Amino acid sequence: MTPEELSAFIRASLSESIVDGTISLSEDDVPTEIKVERPRSREHGDWSTNIAMQLAKKAGTNPRAFASILVEKLENSSDIAKTDIAGPGFINITLNVAAAGELARSILDAGTEYGRNTAGRGETVNLEFVSANPTGPIHVGGARWAAVGDSLARILEATGVNVVREYYFNDHGAQIDRFSKSLLARAKGQEAPEDGYGGQYIADIANEVMGAHPEVNISELSDTEAQEFFRENGVNLMFAEIKKELDDFRVHFDVFFHEDTLHKSGAVSQAIETLRSKGVIFEQDGATWVRTTDFGDDKDRVIIKSDGDAAYFAGDIAYYLDKRNRGADHVILMLGADHHGYIGRIYAMTRAFGDTAGKGENHEILIGQLVNLVRDGEPVRMSKRAGTIVVLGDLVDAAGVDAARYSLVRAAMDTTLEIDLGLISSRTNENPVYYVQYAHARTKSVDRNAAEHGVTRDVFDPSLLDSEADGELLATLAKYPEIVSQAAQLREPHRVARYVEDLASAYHAWYGKSRVTPRADEKVTATHQARLWLNDAAGQVLANGLGLLGVSAPDKM
């Protein structure tokens, strides 16, 4: 019996009690899904629910009395071995061995769908992440957002959400001017401007631009013409390189949105007029302002400066409205630690449009923290290519895509992350990604060994999964759907990473105590077959969890 099946049975038992009059409620009072959780101690049973405490007051009784009525119904199920009412009204439920073991069949029947749900069906979420300026390679902080953002997208999709992955290119403004000037300087053999960009990649792009356009002699161009030449061609090359870096990192976007289009298309003017119609635009000191203080901001914001140029905030306004007009029910924006001060003004702008802002609302901002790399206990601060920063390519070169992605996503995004390059590139159990991938590879090795010994899944008697180790592994497997739901609701992909580590630990412990293949003097038994089902179920869930993190599940290590 899966947690979902138990939840449905509890709800059916409540409905039966309502119909026969033993519980005074209406069907509308009963939640669509009854939450069941693992008790902290296995001694208290396989599952626990607090539904009696939720509904007792509405039913005009106390939680323990409510629970005693419900328990009578639950104990009619042959799948439930016993129930217990604990504390103020918790109902602890112990399944019989066969019902618990049936989970292995349910997992293998569901395959890659195990753990997925439809809670978010009908919702469209625009998830914007990374969005590095097209002026250089993706730094290691951006790499964290690439791993976390893509994992969050996969997890949201596992709950039925339609996710639009979006990358915003800041290709309008001063940083592009500095980038093109830096390319021009390198092409002339000069040092980069004081406020420009350094690193070998600038020289590489400048040389590539010149190589692709042998007909152009920059010495014959004015500085303005030469700078525009490098703006057009250099930005495109940098853009293409960033895309390739992300593709190689298994991060793929549905939309690459260019900031410049907001200004060229008139979207900025349209957004301002939309706010003007809502009465929140005013003129002062020759500039155009939006009254964001009416919506929780600490001060009003300029959107058109006194010189007639659009302020950066004007682009933010137009971009949000554009996303909503494209059909996004929810907009999730992932930003780095240095953007914490933007939250107030962005949420105020959202409310000015008449939308809601905050966790789970129309506009939601997630702030991440920095990444520090160390090797042999010493900080790694320099890139061979980028000069002053460590970039995504450096991390992948040192550890590979799997280890890099897993290491970047396994910690809560709002905490500073330290990654030991020596550890994550090692093939030891101290390396978390190796530990989990090895567990999956071990399930496949058991499969191959079982086939050689004639152990198949032709027969399955779940009642034979009766050892303590079997029970512990089944209990861990049963938690996976809840973990996926929590990770989606809380926007915390690291929960999936920590779960697969727990599952790997439970599997390795089970493997050390359980035999799937017979000894030399034994024949194949139904117990061997039942444990093969459990082995394969563990492998399936490990693969499913790693898949949500964009990490491979190898058959061999």
Side-chain angles (χ1 to χ4, degrees):
M1 177 178 275
T2 65
E4 292 79 8
E5 290 168 341
L6 178 58
S7 175
F9 178 65
I10 294 172
R11 196 186 193 288
S13 299
L14 280 168
S15 296
E16 184 180 331
S17 298
I18 291 169
V19 170
D20 65 23
T22 53
I23 290 179
S24 300
L25 289 172
S26 70
E27 282 287 343
D28 291 340
D29 292 325
V30 181
T32 303
E33 294 184 12
I34 308 298
K35 188 173 183 179
V36 294
E37 297 180 308
R38 284 284 174 184
R40 291 184 179 179
S41 172
R42 288 298 311 281
E43 295 175 358
H44 295 156
D46 295 314
W47 297 102
S48 179
T49 179
N50 66 350
I51 191 64
M53 291 183 284
Q54 292 180 42
L55 299 180
K57 187 174 181 179
K58 284 185 178 181
T61 185
N62 66 70
R64 287 188 67 89
F66 187 103
S68 65
I69 296 170
L70 182 56
V71 158
E72 288 186 20
K73 301 289 186 183
L74 298 180
E75 289 182 341
N76 290 331
S77 171
S78 59
D79 289 337
I80 294 178
K82 68 176 183 177
T83 59
D84 173 56
I85 301 172
F90 288 101
I91 300 174
N92 293 327
I93 301 167
T94 301
L95 303 177
N96 67 41
V97 173
E102 275 292 341
L103 178 64
R105 192 200 306 271
S106 297
I107 290 170
L108 293 174
D109 285 348
T112 57
E113 292 299 304
Y114 179 69
R116 304 175 77 89
N117 63 68
T118 59
R121 180 176 291 172
E123 293 183 9
T124 295
V125 170
N126 181 293
L127 177 60
E128 182 199 335
F129 58 106
V130 184
S131 295
N133 289 336
T135 55
I138 297 171
H139 60 75
V140 73
R144 185 180 193 181
W145 281 130
V148 172
D150 183 63
S151 297
L152 178 57
R154 293 167 186 249
I155 290 166
L156 289 172
E157 287 172 338
T159 66
V161 173
N162 174 41
V163 179
V164 177
R165 296 165 171 83
E166 186 146 326
Y167 189 116
Y168 184 63
F169 269 99
N170 302 94
D171 55 355
H172 178 89
Q175 78 277 1
I176 299 299
D177 291 337
R178 294 196 299 271
F179 179 63
S180 55
K181 288 178 181 177
S182 300
L183 293 175
L184 175 58
R186 282 302 183 93
K188 291 182 173 181
Q190 301 169 355
E191 290 297 318
E194 187 175 340
D195 61 348
Y197 297 92
Q200 182 60 39
Y201 78 96
I202 291 291
D204 293 342
I205 292 175
N207 291 337
E208 191 171 347
V209 168
M210 295 307 301
H213 297 277
E215 75 284 2
V216 175
N217 185 343
I218 58 172
S219 64
E220 297 177 353
L221 302 177
S222 68
D223 285 348
T224 301
E225 291 172 330
Q227 185 179 327
E228 185 57 35
F229 168 71
F230 279 104
R231 176 197 297 272
E232 180 179 349
N233 294 285
V235 169
N236 287 338
L237 280 174
M238 194 71 253
F239 187 12
E241 181 167 329
I242 289 172
K243 282 184 174 180
K244 185 178 185 307
E245 276 189 310
L246 291 167
D247 283 342
D248 291 346
F249 203 49
R250 303 178 195 142
V251 178
H252 311 292
F253 288 88
D254 303 300
V255 176
F256 286 95
F257 193 99
H258 292 259
E259 179 188 5
D260 207 38
T261 63
L262 293 171
H263 298 271
K264 291 179 178 178
S265 68
V268 170
S269 298
Q270 180 186 348
I272 292 172
E273 290 310 307
T274 299
L275 290 178
R276 193 184 301 277
S277 70
K278 295 179 179 294
V280 298
I281 296 292
F282 67 96
E283 309 294 328
Q284 181 177 303
D285 300 329
T288 301
W289 301 65
V290 59
R291 192 174 288 106
T292 51
T293 52
D294 287 355
F295 305 96
D297 198 2
D298 60 344
K299 62 181 180 180
D300 296 328
R301 302 289 172 177
V302 173
I303 47 177
I304 301 295
K305 295 181 287 187
S306 57
D307 63 4
D309 289 339
Y312 190 83
F313 189 50
D316 291 334
I317 291 172
Y319 188 34
Y320 172 72
L321 186 60
D322 183 86
K323 288 177 178 178
R324 292 285 277 138
N325 289 340
R326 281 188 273 134
D329 301 306
H330 303 282
V331 172
I332 300 177
L333 175 58
M334 303 177 71
L335 297 172
D338 57 340
H339 288 78
H340 201 279
Y342 283 72
I343 296 177
R345 74 189 72 171
I346 295 295
Y347 279 177
M349 171 268 291
T350 303
R351 298 185 188 105
F353 278 119
D355 289 344
T356 56
K359 196 78 166 180
E361 304 290 352
N362 296 119
H363 204 175
E364 179 179 346
I365 297 176
L366 305 177
I367 297 291
Q369 292 299 321
L370 302 175
V371 180
N372 298 318
L373 301 183
V374 300
R375 188 195 300 273
D376 300 326
E378 295 295 322
V380 178
R381 303 186 189 280
M382 300 286 286
S383 168
K384 291 180 180 178
R385 181 153 187 264
T388 58
I389 58 171
V390 179
V391 297
L392 170 59
D394 298 325
L395 181 58
V396 171
D397 288 346
V401 173
D402 281 340
R405 283 191 63 125
Y406 191 91
S407 300
L408 289 166
V409 82
R410 73 181 294 263
M413 66 180 77
D414 60 355
T415 61
T416 299
L417 178 62
E418 182 172 279
I419 295 178
D420 185 325
L421 294 177
L423 175 64
I424 69 170
S425 59
S426 68
R427 295 174 63 83
T428 69
N429 285 342
E430 284 69 40
N431 178 2
V433 67
Y434 177 84
Y435 185 68
V436 175
Q437 288 182 315
Y438 181 65
H440 181 268
R442 177 172 265 181
T443 68
K444 295 302 181 182
S445 174
V446 169
D447 268 344
R448 294 188 291 270
N449 198 30
E452 292 175 3
H453 287 80
V455 181
T456 68
R457 293 204 328 243
D458 294 344
V459 176
F460 180 48
D461 182 352
S463 68
L464 297 175
L465 297 176
D466 57 358
S467 73
E468 182 178 348
D470 294 335
E472 290 295 332
L473 182 53
L474 286 164
T476 306
L477 292 171
K479 293 178 183 177
Y480 180 64
E482 181 184 0
I483 294 295
V484 174
S485 294
Q486 288 178 347
Q489 292 166 8
L490 299 174
R491 318 306 197 213
E492 293 182 343
H494 72 276
R495 289 176 177 265
V496 175
R498 295 310 174 104
Y499 167 79
V500 293
E501 290 173 32
D502 289 344
L503 177 55
S505 177
Y507 176 76
H508 288 310
W510 176 83
Y511 176 87
K513 298 174 182 177
S514 308
R515 290 195 63 85
V516 174
T517 57
R519 301 182 189 278
D521 57 344
E522 292 180 334
K523 294 182 179 180
V524 174
T525 67
T527 299
H528 294 125
Q529 292 176 305
R531 286 182 176 154
L532 180 60
W533 281 75
L534 183 52
N535 175 83
D536 292 356
Q540 182 67 66
V541 178
L542 285 165
N544 290 359
L546 286 170
L548 291 184
L549 304 177
V551 177
S552 68
D555 289 355
K556 295 181 179 179
M557 295 287 283

